[in-house]
Amino acid sequence: MAYQALYRKWRPRTFASVVGQADITNTLKNAIERGTISHAFLFAGPRGTGKTSCAKIFAKALNCNNLQAGEPCNECANCQAADQGALPDIIEIDAASNNGVDEIREIRDKVKYAPTQGKYKVYIIDEVHMLSMGAFNALLKTLEEPPEHVVFILATTEIQKVPATIISRTQRYNFKRLPATELVKQMTYILDQEKVSYDDQALAVIAQVADGGMRDALSILDQLLSYEKDSVNYQDALQITGFAAKEQIEQLLLALLDHDANQALTLAQDELQNGASSKNILDEIIDLATTALMVIKAGSDDQNTFMTTGFADQIKSVPVERYFQLIKAANTALNDLRYTNQQQIPLEVFIVESTNDTATSQAHHSQLQSADADLANEVTSLKNQVVKLADQVAQLSKKPAGKNNQIFHLDDGPSSSTKANEPVATKPKQKKRSVKNTQRINQRNREQVYQVLESATKTDLQAIKDVWPDLQSVLAVSQRALLDVLEPVAASPEQVVMKCKYTLWFEKASSDDDLLAKLTGEIAKFTQHDYEIVLVPDEDWLKVRQEFVQTHGKELLAKKRGSQDQATQQESDTGQEVIQKAKELFGDTVNVKD
């Protein structure tokens, strides 16, 4: 006979043999005994927890000819046919491969026929969440009101993908993950029946890897038996599952608790070289840290809990907050494993961060204390100001109102008691001071503007305008706004006059030497010439230029005329030289025409 896998060979045949789901199996047995059988059931839960097994047992019990306290007898013809998968009234459908509307319509057309051999026609639809939406809609009416002889059993591992309209038409049973103790107990029973020796530590490793699934546990156990038929030992279990030895994980945890990064990294690298995976190492650290935390809080010290002698005494002095930090950091590293192909990096980062937690937390704690102290000082200062303001208000309320009374104002605006015809002293003073500053700057810049206008040329001005757009690409974002409010209007070989659109920006730019130096330097880079910047407000530019023309216009015109007369004289002298030369060459026959 061909070899049969353990999970198939030891699949439960009665409700009593189902492991870890006693509440569900008892409910199903009572329903059979009392005859209160619903038309549709929904079994939901993680993989390998007994959903399909319970569905088969329940279907077999419904058609058993010799029920025994709600359990199938497994001896009648119907039970034996059901165990062999030959009972025509039990129809198993895999929704993963039969998820279309046509398959569901075929079921809907056949449910009207009576069972041929048993009492009920039972449809077991496995992985029902894989059905298409059209298939679910085709199933709705039949699922809600099937014939009396039809029972639907739906099984799924992803209940969230099943429409609510389907769930509301069924009795829902939630299968839970099996505890490690139940897994070890069942594996022990099977190995005893198979007459195979085993190590308890090996079974514990298998139970941890199985993560609550009996089918996974038996599959791993089957793999170990193929690796070594005579026994199931601890080292083989570590090799097959990729887990690290528990005693090594205990040493790794101690190194993390002692902030010994070198030792922790060395232990982790050794386990990785021995075949352990980063995920399993992190899982074991979380499991061990959680167990240690429970031991500390419960105060118990089971000799079989830890592998290392005296491990419990070494961990009892560690604060519980430290274990919380390690568990949280390890969970973060596990999440990071999903986004990288270099699986050892999140593990190593976790080890380094965990060994530096103390220094980091102390620095963070000191920062929080400093921030709290500053906040307390600020609150105290604000309280004192409120007290002073309250005293002033109380004093003012006692004085009679009069024209010469002094008026106090808060910073956010004038007092409501101020009359419309009473001027506010603060703002005019600020305005006068601002005007004086502007006038003083204007007077200083006016003289520089005159100097530029005396020797201004179109060539220099055009050179500045040509490089103006290029400055946008080199200035910082905060400095580019300056180019929007400045415009070059005149330039000499040494200086350039720029008018500023707004008075506020004119004052800011005039007093910001760093900003002007930056702009001057960039202009020099692009023009290959040094220019000094002279600023003038936009509203004053026309006035300054007009004043300059009135005061210096005659001088500039005289200079221009003098230069023109000089040029004319030079042209005349040049012409006489040409005529004289021509006469020397050709004689007096030369006729000169203008």
Side-chain angles (χ1 to χ4, degrees), residues 44-64:
R47 67 183 188 276
T49 53
K51 300 184 298 298
T52 305
S53 297
C54 285
K56 291 183 176 182
I57 296 171
F58 187 62
K60 182 169 59 174
L62 289 176
N63 291 292
C64 179

Side-chain angles (χ1 to χ4, degrees), residues 87-223:
L87 186 64
D89 295 328
I90 299 179
I91 302 97
E92 296 186 36
I93 301 172
D94 179 18
S97 55
N98 300 278
N99 55 3
V101 177
D102 294 337
E103 288 82 357
I104 300 302
R105 285 177 178 173
E106 184 179 356
I107 294 174
R108 186 182 60 188
D109 294 338
K110 292 182 178 180
V111 293
K112 58 185 178 182
Y113 299 114
T116 59
Q117 187 173 340
K119 302 176 183 177
Y120 291 90
K121 180 175 285 188
V122 183
Y123 287 90
I124 301 175
I125 305 179
D126 201 6
E127 300 298 337
V128 71
H129 65 273
M130 298 293 288
L131 290 178
S132 64
M133 188 54 63
F136 275 125
N137 293 333
L139 184 63
L140 281 177
K141 190 63 177 177
T142 303
L143 192 65
E144 183 176 15
E145 296 179 358
E148 295 182 356
H149 57 269
V150 174
V151 174
F152 285 96
I153 304 177
L154 314 180
T156 178
T157 56
E158 300 184 37
I159 186 64
Q160 72 277 3
K161 294 184 178 180
V162 179
T165 52
I166 296 292
I167 298 176
S168 64
R169 289 167 167 81
T170 62
Q171 282 190 7
R172 176 177 170 179
Y173 293 85
N174 293 320
F175 287 69
K176 58 181 180 292
R177 295 183 184 277
L178 304 180
T181 54
E182 293 288 345
L183 296 177
V184 172
K185 182 179 179 180
Q186 182 67 9
M187 286 188 291
T188 301
Y189 172 77
I190 292 174
L191 291 173
D192 289 340
Q193 296 297 317
E194 296 286 338
K195 295 181 172 32
V196 176
S197 61
Y198 56 88
D199 294 339
D200 293 334
Q201 299 175 9
L203 299 185
V205 170
I206 296 173
Q208 187 174 1
V209 177
D211 194 23
M214 179 58 72
R215 183 172 63 241
D216 291 352
L218 294 181
S219 295
I220 298 172
L221 184 60
D222 209 357
Q223 186 177 1

